[in-house]
């Protein structure tokens, strides 16, 4: 069992029967004599997305979480279920579209770098790469005099996601979109 002082961002722990990932960590050193260092953690529940904040002393022990990460690739959608295939052993994991929530707007067959989060061999979520490349399928015609200015227009991407893109981009072009903010980053 690791001590609180050994945890880092991304560490997986078990608290009250739930599996949590460390999202944020803040270290405080009180100035009083004999005071021990305090670690303030923000945890994220991998099953239901709940957040939990706890402050622990550096010597407190925390139970290690039983979460494994596997590189996966999107296979297919069937109804409201999405199936992923492990790229190493080719086993398949099925997750409901509801569990993916907003992430499904970024998932395509060509997407690489997805990581499945497994608890006891059951998929509970997917980590996406920071940016994805998607094609513009519908956008108003570009203005010939448009330059790389801050003027934008709405574009519909290949997954149905709608983002604001620079005015000079045309239908059929590839763009890079951030999976954390859902906003246009650059041309691909």
């Amino acid at each position: 069992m690791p001590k609180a002082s050994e945890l880092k961002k991304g560490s997986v722990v078990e608290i009250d029967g739930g599996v949590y990932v460390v999202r944020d960590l803040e270290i405080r050193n009180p100035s009083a004599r004999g005071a021990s260092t305090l670690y303030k953690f923000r945890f994220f529940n991998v099953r239901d997305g709940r957040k939990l904040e706890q402050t622990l002393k550096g010597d407190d022990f925390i139970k290690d979480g039983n979460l494994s990460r596997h590189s996966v690739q999107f296979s297919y959608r069937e109804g409201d279920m999405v199936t992923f295939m492990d790229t190493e052993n080719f086993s398949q994991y099925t997750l409901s579209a509801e569990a993916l929530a907003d992430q499904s707007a970024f998932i395509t067959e060509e997407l690489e770098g997805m990581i499945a989060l497994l608890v006891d061999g059951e998929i509970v979520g997917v980590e996406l790469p920071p940016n994805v490349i998607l094609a513009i399928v519908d956008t108003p015609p570009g203005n010939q005099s448009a330059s790389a200015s801050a003027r934008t227009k709405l574009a519909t991407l290949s997954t149905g996601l709608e983002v604001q893109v620079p005015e000079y981009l045309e239908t059929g072009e590839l763009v890079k979109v951030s999976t954390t903010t859902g906003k246009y980053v650059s041309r691909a």
Side-chain angles (χ1 to χ4, degrees):
M1 290 190 349
K3 291 183 178 181
S5 60
E6 297 170 355
L7 295 179
K8 299 177 183 103
K9 279 187 182 180
S11 296
V12 179
V13 296
E14 189 175 316
I15 302 169
D16 299 329
V19 179
Y20 290 84
V21 176
V22 177
R23 288 283 185 211
D24 245 348
L25 165 66
E26 187 180 311
I27 301 171
R28 286 192 228 148
N29 292 314
S31 58
R33 285 187 202 166
S36 60
T37 303
L38 298 176
Y39 294 84
K40 183 177 179 182
F41 295 99
R42 274 193 203 95
F43 298 106
F44 177 78
N45 189 309
V46 296
R47 285 203 190 269
D48 57 21
R50 286 183 297 147
K51 293 180 178 103
L52 173 70
E53 286 194 14
Q54 272 192 346
T55 302
L56 302 167
K57 292 180 181 175
D59 295 336
D60 292 346
F61 287 98
I62 295 186
K63 189 173 180 185
D64 231 351
N66 187 17
L67 178 118
S68 59
R69 299 171 193 268
H70 292 265
S71 178
V72 294
Q73 171 183 352
F74 171 76
S75 287
Y76 61 90
R77 287 180 203 270
E78 188 174 314
D80 66 338
M81 301 303 281
V82 181
T83 302
F84 299 93
M85 181 181 68
D86 192 317
T87 56
E88 294 172 14
N89 64 12
F90 307 109
S91 57
Q92 294 190 347
Y93 306 107
T94 304
L95 189 63
S96 71
E98 181 183 310
L100 285 172
D102 299 335
Q103 291 180 320
S104 60
F106 302 105
I107 298 174
T108 62
E109 290 182 26
E110 304 85 32
L111 182 61
E112 294 180 5
M114 284 190 290
I115 305 291
L117 305 173
L118 303 172
V119 174
D120 300 324
E122 180 185 334
I123 188 168
V124 293
V126 175
E127 285 182 356
L128 296 175
N131 298 309
V132 295
I133 296 173
L134 300 170
I136 297 175
V137 293
D138 185 37
T139 189
N143 187 350
Q144 292 297 329
S145 63
S147 64
S149 68
R151 291 173 37 178
T152 61
K153 61 183 178 179
L154 190 65
T156 305
L157 305 180
S158 56
T159 60
L161 181 68
E162 292 184 340
V163 296
Q164 291 289 326
V165 298
E167 203 172 50
Y168 57 85
L169 292 177
E170 300 286 333
T171 300
E173 290 193 57
L174 297 175
V175 293
K176 191 182 286 188
V177 180
S178 168
T179 57
T180 53
T181 63
K183 293 184 178 181
Y184 167 84
V185 175
S186 67
R187 273 184 167 159

